[in-house]
Amino acid sequence: MQLKDTPEEWRVVASTTPFEGGKTSVRTDDVVMPDGTVARRDYQVHPGSVAVLALDEAGRVLVLRQYRHPVRHKLWEIPAGLLDVPGENPLHAAQRELYEEAHVKAEDWRVLADVYPTPGGCDEAVRIFLARDLSEAEGERFEVSEEEADMELARVPVDELVRGALAGELHNNCLVVGALAVMAAQAGPGLESLRPAEAPWPARPFEK
């Protein structure tokens, strides 16, 4: 049997939005269960995100350290950000995040993984890209603010990131998934086998 996630939508008999924020909101749906009962489900409505595992010629990953208030931690992460515009091409968003957060550009882009980080409580979908053939971006650096003003940057070997994830020392979802996916691809069919950068993404359809 092939394991494959499949789209499905159970009937919603009532829906409200008790909270609307600047980027996300909270929705309450009354959903009909298989036995005919109705259950209430609260979840965060999210525009979607992109993340970039930027791999240099020495096999090191560009990572950054940023304060995340909800979990009260400074986390090592890979560059990432929201899909700010509905229907935005995720590749363009990823290129923007890599430039803004690290002042780096890449010539080779591929899709590394598509994930739902917290499907039990949020509809966020994340596309994680692999970026290679890195170089410093032209022009002035993007002016950062708030939490990003305190960011630290580093380049770390992939196997060190995997070791830290398995040891419980690194916790960022995109970093962990990205590092494990790169290692699996390298050990298996190779990075050239990864999907093209503008592969379809049903979770967040876009115009090429």
Side-chain angles (χ1 to χ4, degrees):
M1 181 182 69
Q2 181 185 10
L3 291 179
K4 183 178 181 180
D5 296 334
T6 56
E8 184 168 342
E9 188 168 352
W10 293 0
R11 188 162 65 96
V12 175
V13 295
S15 183
T16 60
T17 304
F19 169 79
E20 290 191 38
K23 296 292 185 180
T24 67
S25 60
V26 173
R27 183 174 297 160
T28 298
D29 288 345
D30 290 342
V31 186
V32 179
M33 298 289 111
D35 63 0
T37 61
V38 175
R40 180 157 290 179
R41 295 289 178 261
D42 302 316
Y43 59 99
Q44 182 185 22
V45 178
H46 195 286
S49 306
V50 293
V52 184
L53 191 137
L55 187 66
D56 69 16
E57 68 284 350
R60 301 173 303 173
V61 176
L62 193 156
V63 294
L64 50 92
R65 190 171 182 237
Q66 185 173 345
Y67 176 66
R68 294 300 188 184
H69 186 70
V71 296
R72 308 309 199 265
H73 269 71
K74 271 193 170 182
L75 300 179
W76 284 103
E77 307 179 350
I78 56 177
L82 299 176
L83 292 169
D84 291 327
V85 181
E88 181 179 17
N89 188 315
L91 174 60
H92 299 165
Q95 291 169 333
R96 179 184 68 238
E97 293 301 328
L98 185 60
Y99 162 72
E100 291 182 357
E101 295 192 349
H103 199 66
V104 166
K105 65 178 181 178
E107 300 302 324
D108 186 278
W109 290 83
R110 297 174 189 272
V111 175
L112 191 52
D114 294 329
V115 296
Y116 294 117
T118 52
C122 181
D123 72 351
E124 180 183 12
V126 182
R127 170 157 280 189
I128 305 173
F129 289 90
L130 172 67
R132 294 182 295 171
D133 193 4
L134 310 180
S135 61
E136 185 173 356
E138 295 92 355
E140 296 182 4
R141 285 185 172 272
F142 181 78
E143 186 174 345
V144 296
S145 61
E146 299 177 343
E147 291 94 341
E148 293 182 351
D150 190 44
M151 284 195 310
E152 306 169 48
L153 293 175
R155 296 196 182 201
V156 181
V158 174
D159 58 356
E160 179 61 19
L161 296 179
V162 171
R163 184 210 63 77
L166 297 180
E169 298 168 358
L170 299 173
H171 307 88
N172 176 261
N173 181 284
C174 293
L175 183 149
V176 172
V177 171
L180 290 170
V182 160
M183 180 166 279
Q186 289 174 329
L191 299 180
E192 304 304 321
S193 71
L194 294 170
R195 287 173 291 160
E198 293 192 307
W201 190 18
R204 293 294 185 275
F206 61 93
E207 295 286 339
K208 291 187 178 180

